[in-house]
Amino acid sequence: MGGVVCVAAFAFLAGFALFTARIASREPVVLKPADGIVVLTGGASRVSDGIQLLAGGHGRRMLISGVNRTTSAEELRRTLPNGDTLLDCCVDLGRKALNTWGNAIEVAEWTRSRDFRSLVVVTSSWHMPRALFELGRMMPEVELISFPVVTDRMQDAQWWSEPHTAKLLMKEYVKYLMAHAKIRPLQAVAPTGEPDETQKPPPATANAPQAAATH
């Protein structure tokens, strides 16, 4: 029995080492353009990075998935003073997703409604493996291009010596394993009852090229 436990523990830690090795420590310098951009909320800089990618022509339209239902477009506009025009013409707010699985459901609906075949995915670097897995499972026909948002602590090669970061990554690894095993929260999306902003028809300017922005 003890031997089985030791083998399981070794496999778990080896898997964790492989998982952390996949986490980007730098944001990509060159990025392939796509039909759309999706930002999964929950971390600093994700939305602002998505807006910059949209302004730089890396996608024709952007979905911010998992926006809190109490957050208005005006509040977002105040946090992104340089993104006013883009928010008005080319950004949809998804308010249904409650977690990563919900993000995948919401993004898949939005992507198929617009007949997009490729997406730039914007989320934190440590969240990217699970996000790509869930999105890929929901949309195997769609090309996913990752844009990991890298915080200062993930750039540190000695992250394992920082307890808070190590705990964050271990927790994310467990969630990643649970996703593979299809063990998910009971509720992925919020109850319907409000107009879905992601389904509004794109305005005439939605596909117009935007001025490049400094990233």
Side-chain angles (χ1 to χ4, degrees):
M1 184 67 179
V4 173
V5 172
C6 288
V7 170
F10 176 79
F12 180 85
L13 292 175
F16 179 61
L18 291 173
F19 174 77
T20 56
R22 294 179 56 194
I23 297 175
S25 59
R26 294 288 185 275
E27 294 182 358
V29 177
V30 179
L31 192 69
K32 179 182 178 181
D35 293 331
I37 300 169
V38 294
V39 177
L40 311 187
T41 59
S45 301
R46 296 184 191 183
V47 175
S48 58
D49 279 7
I51 286 289
Q52 290 184 4
L53 290 171
L54 184 62
H58 292 283
R60 302 198 303 269
R61 193 165 187 87
M62 186 172 87
L63 169 68
I64 305 175
S65 175
V67 177
N68 191 300
R69 290 198 170 197
T70 64
T71 302
S72 68
E74 189 58 39
E75 288 176 287
L76 276 176
R77 187 172 285 105
R78 285 198 295 268
T79 65
L80 300 166
N82 296 325
D84 280 6
T85 302
L86 293 174
L87 282 172
D88 289 336
C89 83
C90 311
V91 177
D92 297 317
L93 305 183
R95 301 181 183 274
K96 295 193 298 186
L98 300 177
N99 45 53
T100 305
W101 181 26
N103 287 141
I105 294 171
E106 186 168 63
V107 169
E109 292 175 354
W110 179 82
T111 302
R112 288 169 181 150
S113 73
R114 298 183 180 281
D115 199 28
F116 286 167
R117 306 299 297 178
S118 58
L119 297 174
V120 174
V121 181
V122 182
T123 190
S124 297
S125 58
W126 50 266
H127 183 235
M128 187 63 76
R130 182 160 59 104
L132 291 178
F133 175 76
E134 293 284 29
L135 290 167
R137 176 176 279 176
M138 286 295 298
M139 303 176 292
E141 76 283 4
V142 175
E143 180 184 7
L144 302 176
I145 303 161
S146 68
F147 185 89
V149 178
V150 181
T151 58
D152 291 342
R153 64 181 174 180
M154 293 310 303
Q155 294 178 6
D156 185 1
Q158 303 297 318
W159 60 262
W160 46 265
S161 64
E162 208 285 300
H164 182 73
T165 303
K167 182 179 179 181
L168 170 70
L169 295 182
M170 180 61 74
K171 184 177 179 180
E172 182 60 28
Y173 174 56
V174 171
K175 289 182 178 180
Y176 179 74
L177 293 178
M178 291 173 66
H180 276 265
K182 297 185 179 181
I183 302 172
R184 300 187 176 99
L186 293 177
Q187 188 172 1
V189 296
T192 58
E194 296 180 11
D196 187 354
E197 296 181 45
T198 68
Q199 299 302 319
K200 64 186 179 183
T205 56
N207 293 333
Q210 304 297 329
T214 303
H215 184 69

